[in-house]
């Protein structure tokens, strides 16, 4: 492999196919004999997964305020980067992460409209030098994403707190992701999520080969 380790993140709205593509890429990379670490945000370590539960499925007795949500996501990221991602990349693994810092920028920044400069500082604080080598942004209209998740068997139509936001919120999320990609075209590659899963997988493999050479 041309580089020591790689950190690749998958971003995009609900139902875009992030988890599906991440699994297909893991299979492909493992088939090449590479160590592949698959993880997700929020979560990825025991402590970070506890923070995930707090922020996504709270009891309903007490609301989670937007500011609290932002800090919990970033706290989970700080833990995840140090305990799992950095050590794995350092030993030469390919780390595939289902959502990362761009989700915070898109959801809490563009959609919830919290202070963007503050979010940038927080993300930097949590991430340090652990910037993704490549981010795959799977793009699709939110309506199409929800059609997919409504029929998905694992969660059986169960929506978490953020998924349950109004459709306008999810349009802002999508626009936010696309703006991130416009601002950082070198890192963020936009792939239409409307194609067949196999086609998307091949596009992603090509993007990775073009960027990093033969693996
Ligand atoms: N390219 C595709 N075309 C049609 N359906 C797809 C495609 N990719 C995934 N799906 C289906 O859409 C649903 C959502 O896919 P997936 O769970 O991978 O999305 P996700 O981006 O991880 O969603 P979430 O943000 O909710 O975790 C699943 O039922 C999956 O089988
Ligand atoms: Mg998923």
């Amino acid at each position: 492999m041309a580089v020591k380790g790689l950190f690749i993140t998958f971003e995009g709205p609900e139902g875009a196919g992030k988890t599906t593509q991440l699994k297909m890429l893991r299979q492909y990379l493992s088939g090449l004999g590479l160590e592949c670490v698959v993880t997700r945000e929020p979560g990825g370590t025991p402590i970070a997964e506890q923070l995930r539960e707090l922020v996504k499925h709270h009891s309903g007795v007490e609301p989670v305020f937007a500011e609290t949500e932002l800090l919990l996501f970033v706290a989970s990221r700080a833990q995840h980067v140090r305990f799992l991602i950095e050590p794995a990349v350092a030993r030469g693994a390919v780390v595939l992460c289902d959502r990362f810092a761009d989700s915070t920028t898109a959801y809490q920044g563009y959609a919830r409209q919290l202070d963007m400069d503050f979010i940038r500082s927080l993300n930097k604080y949590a991430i340090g030098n652990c910037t993704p080598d490549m981010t795959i942004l799977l793009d699709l209209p939110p309506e199409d994403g929800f059609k997919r998740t409504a029929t998905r068997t694992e969660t059986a139509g169960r929506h978490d707190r953020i998924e349950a936001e109004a459709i306008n919120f999810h349009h802002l999320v999508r626009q936010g992701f696309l703006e991130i990609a416009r601002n950082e075209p070198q890192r963020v590659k936009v792939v239409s999520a409307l194609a067949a899963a196999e086609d998307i997988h091949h596009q992603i493999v090509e993007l990775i080969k073009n960027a990093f050479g033969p693996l």
Side-chain angles (χ1 to χ4, degrees):
M1 190 167 147
V3 285
K4 192 159 185 295
L6 277 181
F7 177 33
I8 300 174
T9 60
F10 287 74
E11 298 279 8
E14 266 94 307
K18 298 178 294 297
T19 307
T20 303
Q21 289 303 323
L22 194 134
K23 286 179 181 165
M24 291 172 88
L25 187 59
R26 171 179 52 187
Q27 199 157 20
Y28 172 82
L29 295 171
S30 302
L32 298 177
L34 298 170
E35 184 197 354
C36 192
V37 173
V38 164
T39 188
R40 69 170 181 183
E41 286 218 343
T45 82
I47 289 174
E49 288 287 334
Q50 284 186 6
L51 293 170
R52 177 191 180 95
E53 275 308 300
L54 273 178
V55 74
K56 284 180 87 84
H57 301 288
H58 71 105
S59 66
V61 174
E62 176 185 354
V64 179
F65 296 99
E67 294 79 1
T68 314
E69 175 186 89
L70 170 63
L71 294 171
L72 287 172
F73 279 134
V74 175
S76 148
R77 178 159 312 127
Q79 189 70 15
H80 190 204
V81 162
R82 285 158 188 76
F83 191 70
L84 187 131
I85 301 172
E86 274 183 338
V89 174
R91 68 172 181 264
V94 182
V95 177
L96 306 180
C97 189
D98 200 330
R99 295 194 182 281
F100 194 61
D102 298 322
S103 280
T104 305
T105 308
Y107 284 80
Q108 279 70 47
Y110 285 100
R112 285 217 200 287
Q113 300 175 6
L114 300 180
D115 183 332
M116 198 62 99
D117 286 336
F118 184 55
I119 290 177
R120 211 168 284 123
S121 304
L122 279 177
N123 265 336
K124 199 165 179 338
Y125 185 70
I127 292 171
N129 293 324
C130 193
T131 308
D133 296 297
M134 178 179 280
T135 296
I136 306 292
L137 172 57
L138 292 165
D139 176 58
L140 90 176
E143 291 86 353
D144 294 272
F146 284 121
K147 265 183 228 147
R148 290 181 183 178
T149 55
T151 55
R152 174 169 60 186
T153 46
E154 310 97 77
T155 46
R158 185 176 67 115
H159 284 298
D160 74 25
R161 212 169 42 76
I162 293 176
E163 285 171 351
E165 288 284 345
I167 195 73
N168 181 51
F169 177 88
H170 293 282
H171 281 286
L172 291 173
V173 169
R174 182 190 190 195
Q175 292 314 316
F177 275 129
L178 290 171
E179 194 158 323
I180 293 168
R182 278 194 293 275
N183 291 338
E184 289 183 75
Q186 194 64 25
R187 171 177 69 86
V188 184
K189 305 298 177 192
V190 184
V191 176
S192 167
L194 294 172
E198 273 296 332
D199 292 348
I200 297 170
H201 172 64
H202 288 123
Q203 287 182 52
I204 291 173
V205 168
E206 283 308 305
L207 284 168
I208 291 172
K209 283 184 184 164
N210 287 340
F212 308 114
L215 296 173

